[in-house]
Amino acid sequence: MADAFVIETADLRKTYDGIEALRGLTLSVPAGSICGFLGRTGAGKTTTVKILLGMARPTAGRATVFGLPVDSPAASVDIRRRTGFVGDDKGLYDAMTVRGMIRHTASFYPQWSRELEEKYLRRFELGAERGIKTLSRGMRTKLALLLALCRGADLLVLDEPTTGLDPAATEDVLQALVGHAAERGTTVFFSSHQLADVEQIADHVTIIDRGRVAVTGGLDDLRQNYRRIQLVFDGDAPSYTFQTRGVERVKRSGRVMTVLSSAGIDGVLGEARQLNPVSTDSAPVTLKDIFLDTVAVED
Amino acid sequence: MIWQHAFLETRWRFLIGLVLLPVSAAFVALSYPQVTALSQSVTPAPDTALGREIAEAMELSKTYGGYVWSQWFQQNGAQLAGLFAAIIGTGGLLSQTAAARLFTLSLPVSRERLLAARAAAGLGQMLALTVVPALVIVLVSPLVGRSFPLLDALAYALCAFVGSAVFFSVAFFFSSMFGSVWAPIVLTLCTGAALGALDRITGAGRFSLIQMVHGESYFRGHGLPWPMLAVSLAVSAALLYSGTRLVARQDF
């Protein structure tokens, strides 16, 4: 039976020179999902990606990809054989041509698809004889994506794949990604600052903050369950700690108390009645609202 | 393909060496008539260090074999081989751009294999840079009416290769500690200079790396310096292994 989760980490920790980049990260990425991995700069996204691909070792905790431990060098080679990676800087060898880069990468993957290679070379309008050095950032991203897609990978790991791209290039890259994942059932795990990109293609979201998971779940579930509830009082909003499950954040400002709930509104409203608010209101939230309320609010 | 990539990384340095060293070797061999003519008109002062060295060089130049050994295998060839060993040994994962490094590390190859390929490609290049000039000397010697035995050329080339492999390995080791391409070159050249200075101070004994690189024992009729060749190979292997372990343990 196939594993339910392609990526799993438990209490994953990473310390660089006394600085904790990851502080007990526990996440699961379902097989076949497109998982957006969100967080502020320095939240630990790139460190997580590096650990998953064996580029950095965890200080403590456990991480597996395809059920294989990432900190075993031999298992890490197997993981990378089944994984396509597009790094933040779209790392390629500047001394090579596009075709040379493709041939070089293809030599490591027996399942390399020449058919897909031709398809994406045409679709992305990548001149095969062009030098890597002469490619724009958008073209480099497309080439990096081609190299990741053609290798027959079961998992694509992308670190900020659309950073620095214009809207047309972003759309092209996202559509290629979604189409490929849908056709082949590939799991996609991509870190991003671009909430719109995540909302557009992800079906699963994990938001991390300061090296820990702040929010995780299916995007539809998050949209359905997350609600912002506003309570207005006669005087200043009281200082109060909710006992109801799913209360993620409480903010007070003058007469208004705003509660972010991840478990609908009924429980919160029931408990809030004892505070005698003069009015209550609730509204669904966007991914951006969830992100800002769970992460940026702590600044 | 990791071999090809390893070769490509140092191909320009290697190709420059592959032109420079054989041309220099040919120049040394072809200059023999002019040098012998010149040496007859020079009288070195024997009471100075420089004078003694010139006198020794003139003495060696009385035979073509002595001339080629002293001018190429003991001097120019050995120095150039050491220099190119430092230059070719430098580089690798740490000196790649951060982005290219992550791409390399994302490939399904262990770091040990990546570094082994780089070491093997570099040592292969060093073998060419020591053997080809020696063969060029054998080939051009008839042009000045002389001959240089192939076996002697290969014996000196072997000594030069094993010695330059040590310098290559020193550079390789330092490259696993420093991201800069210059630090390993400078440190390797400093190591060579320190060994040379040590030889001068101690009088260069049986276990002199520099004398082994020159093939001095073979030239003096004592055969190949097998113990020192073995020690040098062991030192090279230890340095390559240590450098590889350092990189294998690093976070990127």
Side-chain angles (χ1 to χ4, degrees):
Chain A
M1 194 182 87
D3 290 332
F5 297 104
V6 169
I7 297 172
E8 287 183 280
T9 73
D11 197 24
L12 193 63
R13 290 168 190 277
K14 178 66 186 175
T15 305
Y16 291 108
D17 299 326
I19 297 166
E20 287 184 295
L22 296 181
R23 296 190 287 182
L25 185 86
T26 298
L27 69 84
S28 305
V29 176
S33 68
I34 298 182
C35 179
F37 190 44
L38 293 166
R40 290 178 300 177
T41 302
K45 300 190 298 296
T46 298
T47 299
T48 305
V49 167
K50 284 182 175 179
I51 288 176
L52 293 177
L53 294 176
M55 297 166 186
R57 283 160 218 277
T59 307
R62 189 177 64 83
T64 60
V65 178
F66 306 120
L68 301 167
V70 299
D71 51 356
S72 152
S76 182
V77 172
D78 285 339
I79 290 169
R80 295 198 296 271
R81 193 169 287 123
R82 297 174 61 187
T83 304
F85 171 66
V86 177
D88 181 15
D89 294 326
K90 316 302 175 296
L92 302 165
Y93 302 140
D94 284 346
M96 288 188 178
T97 62
V98 168
R99 190 175 299 287
M101 194 75 215
I102 290 173
R103 292 278 72 80
H104 175 73
T105 310
S107 70
F108 293 95
Y109 300 94
Q111 292 175 300
W112 183 268
S113 166
R114 295 297 298 270
E115 187 191 331
L116 282 178
E117 176 191 321
E118 290 305 321
K119 174 183 156 185
Y120 287 118
L121 271 174
R122 276 196 306 275
R123 176 171 176 171
F124 293 152
E125 296 174 342
L126 287 162
E129 304 312 322
R130 281 187 70 179
I132 301 289
K133 231 185 282 187
T134 67
L135 298 180
S136 67
R137 188 176 176 90
M139 297 302 263
R140 288 174 80 93
T141 302
K142 288 174 179 175
L143 177 56
L145 192 61
L146 178 153
L147 298 175
L149 297 180
C150 296
R151 63 183 68 171
D154 298 318
L155 169 67
L156 294 174
V157 175
L158 306 105
D159 192 8
E160 307 282 356
T162 57
T163 301
L165 300 188
D166 63 55
T170 299
E171 186 63 22
D172 215 7
V173 165
L174 293 180
Q175 287 308 321
L177 205 51
V178 171
H180 185 88
E183 255 175 49
R184 290 161 193 270
T186 311
T187 306
V188 179
F189 180 67
F190 75 107
S191 76
S192 184
H193 284 113
Q194 314 294 326
L195 296 170
D197 294 353
V198 175
E199 284 205 289
Q200 185 180 342
I201 67 166
D203 52 38
H204 199 88
V205 172
T206 295
I207 299 174
I208 67 165
D209 186 39
R210 294 180 174 85
R212 289 194 192 94
V213 170
V215 174
T216 188
L219 188 56
D220 289 340
D221 291 340
L222 293 180
R223 282 179 178 140
Q224 192 176 335
N225 296 329
Y226 268 78
R227 287 288 182 275
R228 177 176 291 124
I229 300 147
Q230 212 165 54
L231 309 170
V232 182
F233 297 88
D234 270 337
D236 281 351
S239 178
Y240 179 76
T241 305
F242 281 85
Q243 304 302 313
T244 305
R245 187 183 61 84
V247 172
E248 301 292 337
R249 290 280 186 279
V250 177
K251 283 197 284 187
R252 293 185 301 127
S253 176
R255 297 168 57 213
V256 179
M257 177 187 286
T258 307
V259 181
L260 180 71
S261 167
S262 61
I265 61 171
D266 295 343
V268 175
L269 287 178
E271 189 175 347
R273 270 188 210 109
Q274 60 186 289
L275 300 174
N276 298 317
V278 292
S279 72
T280 61
D281 187 22
S282 73
V285 293
T286 62
L287 184 59
K288 183 179 177 184
D289 294 326
I290 297 171
F291 182 80
L292 292 175
D293 272 326
T294 55
V295 174
V297 74
E298 290 180 10
D299 271 347
Chain B
M1 284 299 268
I2 54 171
W3 299 95
Q4 188 197 10
H5 185 247
F7 176 83
L8 286 177
E9 189 190 339
T10 49
R11 70 187 184 284
W12 292 116
R13 302 173 228 175
F14 168 63
L15 291 174
I16 290 169
L18 199 57
V19 172
L20 186 64
L21 271 82
V23 167
S24 303
F27 181 77
V28 165
L30 296 174
S31 302
Y32 184 62
Q34 287 84 351
V35 172
T36 44
L38 185 67
S39 65
Q40 283 163 9
S41 61
V42 174
T43 311
D47 52 345
T48 65
L50 180 63
R52 279 193 294 275
E53 281 188 22
I54 292 172
E56 192 191 359
M58 286 170 60
E59 185 62 29
L60 288 169
S61 296
K62 285 179 179 169
T63 65
Y64 181 66
Y67 164 76
V68 169
W69 176 76
S70 70
Q71 294 303 307
W72 181 253
F73 294 108
Q74 193 193 23
Q75 290 184 44
N76 302 356
Q79 287 159 5
L80 284 171
L83 176 66
F84 274 89
I87 292 171
I88 289 174
T90 296
L93 268 177
L94 266 67
S95 65
Q96 285 183 353
T97 63
R101 185 164 57 225
L102 289 190
F103 180 81
T104 303
L105 291 171
S106 76
L107 295 171
V109 188
S110 68
R111 295 182 194 180
E112 286 84 353
R113 267 193 72 199
L114 282 172
L115 273 91
R118 201 179 94 71
L123 289 172
Q125 291 173 342
M126 285 317 302
L127 184 64
L129 292 185
T130 45
V131 171
V132 171
L135 295 178
V136 164
I137 286 175
V138 174
L139 291 173
V140 303
S141 292
L143 298 177
V144 290
R146 306 285 170 168
S147 70
F148 194 85
L150 176 65
L151 195 65
D152 288 357
L154 292 178
Y156 293 131
L158 173 69
C159 293
F161 167 66
V162 174
S164 60
V166 173
F167 291 109
F168 172 89
S169 307
V170 171
F172 183 96
F173 176 76
F174 284 130
S175 292
S176 63
M177 300 169 77
F178 302 99
S180 146
V181 290
W182 294 110
I185 293 178
V186 170
L187 288 169
T188 304
L189 295 179
C190 287
T191 304
L195 287 172
L198 194 67
D199 271 11
R200 282 187 179 274
I201 294 165
T202 61
R206 245 179 99 207
F207 289 97
S208 159
L209 176 70
I210 304 294
Q211 283 200 1
M212 188 213 68
V213 174
H214 297 162
E216 179 125 11
S217 134
Y218 187 81
F219 177 72
R220 306 279 177 207
H222 305 308
L224 283 166
W226 292 113
M228 197 53 204
L229 287 169
V231 169
S232 300
L233 287 173
V235 169
S236 292
L239 286 166
L240 293 174
Y241 178 78
S242 304
T244 303
R245 294 308 306 156
L246 278 175
V247 172
R249 282 204 299 261
Q250 279 184 42
D251 285 337
F252 289 96

